[in-house]
Amino acid sequence: MAPRIRDATPDDLAALCDICLKTGESGADASHLYRDPKLIGQLYAAPYLVLASELAIVVEDEAGVGAYIVGALDTLAFEARMEAEWWPPLRERYADPPGAPASWSADEVRAWQIHHPRPPPARITDPYPSHLHINLLPRLQGRGLGQALLDAWFARVAALGSRGLHLGVSPANHRALRFYTAYGLEEFRFPEPRSAGAIYFVHSLAT
């Protein structure tokens, strides 16, 4: 069966979390880093399928779901909903880690993020309120499917009235950085140099 793009369903939840894990180390497989293989997906995949399913799209082939794009129309409204509905039960399950961050495991880093979520700066969310996450397993990469997913997602949020979107990328994810640049996204330039953190790409949807 040729890969096909379709809307995600609740039955895709496990696949999305698995893809998130297997692309979770700057695009590479992060399975060896986590004791809890579902943890990273609880931050970057599952909440979008549960709370914003209208913006969840997947690619499925004969091996199953191997790629997805998810996101939120209004980042700050989505963060508020996460605070009310998503984080509380996870904070009971995953303790806020003690000690110095340099000593934390990958699980503890993600647990800290659950207890201390940090939305992007307002200078990004004001003009580019929507945001997305996209991941493809290696078997689906290099086949034009990433571009097709972005095209579909951009059209969907534009139809819902978004004026712009953003996404964050690890500086270590060189393949993703090349892909977004080639697609035509613009790297957001902060007024002052930043020593660390995600690189943000932005795209205006204003007419």
Side-chain angles (χ1 to χ4, degrees), residues 2-205:
R4 69 183 183 100
I5 297 175
R6 63 168 175 81
D7 289 347
T9 73
D11 292 339
D12 297 321
L13 181 60
L16 265 61
C17 289
D18 185 60
I19 295 166
C20 190
L21 175 66
K22 290 180 178 174
T23 57
E25 188 179 13
S26 298
D29 192 347
S31 300
H32 63 290
L33 297 177
Y34 291 92
R35 293 180 59 189
D36 183 342
K38 297 181 180 179
L39 179 51
I40 190 172
Q42 298 285 0
L43 283 85
Y44 299 117
Y48 297 92
L49 183 58
V50 174
L51 301 178
S53 60
E54 71 280 2
L55 292 177
I57 306 170
V58 299
V59 180
E60 183 177 24
D61 63 5
E62 67 278 357
V65 173
Y68 67 81
I69 187 167
V70 295
L73 181 65
D74 183 325
T75 294
L76 298 185
F78 187 77
E79 292 282 346
R81 193 172 176 196
M82 292 265 285
E83 188 62 39
E85 302 178 35
W86 191 257
W87 298 133
L90 290 178
R91 287 169 182 161
E92 293 182 5
R93 189 184 316 169
Y94 301 104
D96 196 358
S103 68
W104 291 345
S105 67
D107 293 72
E108 289 172 318
V109 170
R110 300 305 179 191
W112 187 90
Q113 292 175 317
I114 288 170
H115 286 267
H116 308 275
R118 298 175 64 182
R123 67 177 72 247
I124 291 178
T125 56
D126 285 350
Y128 308 103
S130 303
H131 78 272
L132 65 96
H133 299 281
I134 177 173
N135 285 303
L136 295 83
L137 293 179
R139 72 174 192 267
L140 295 178
Q141 294 175 5
R143 303 170 66 178
L145 294 166
Q147 178 176 335
L149 283 173
L150 287 179
D151 288 347
W153 202 87
F154 284 19
R156 190 165 296 190
V157 294
L160 291 171
S162 177
R163 64 181 179 274
L165 56 89
H166 69 272
L167 59 94
V169 188
S170 166
N173 194 339
H174 303 295
R175 182 185 179 95
L177 294 173
R178 291 193 299 270
F179 169 68
Y180 296 128
T181 300
Y183 184 84
L185 301 187
E186 176 188 355
E187 182 180 340
F188 186 86
R189 302 292 183 179
F190 287 88
E192 301 293 334
R194 302 169 78 225
S195 58
I199 294 172
Y200 287 96
F201 284 88
V202 297
H203 181 70
S204 177
L205 297 169

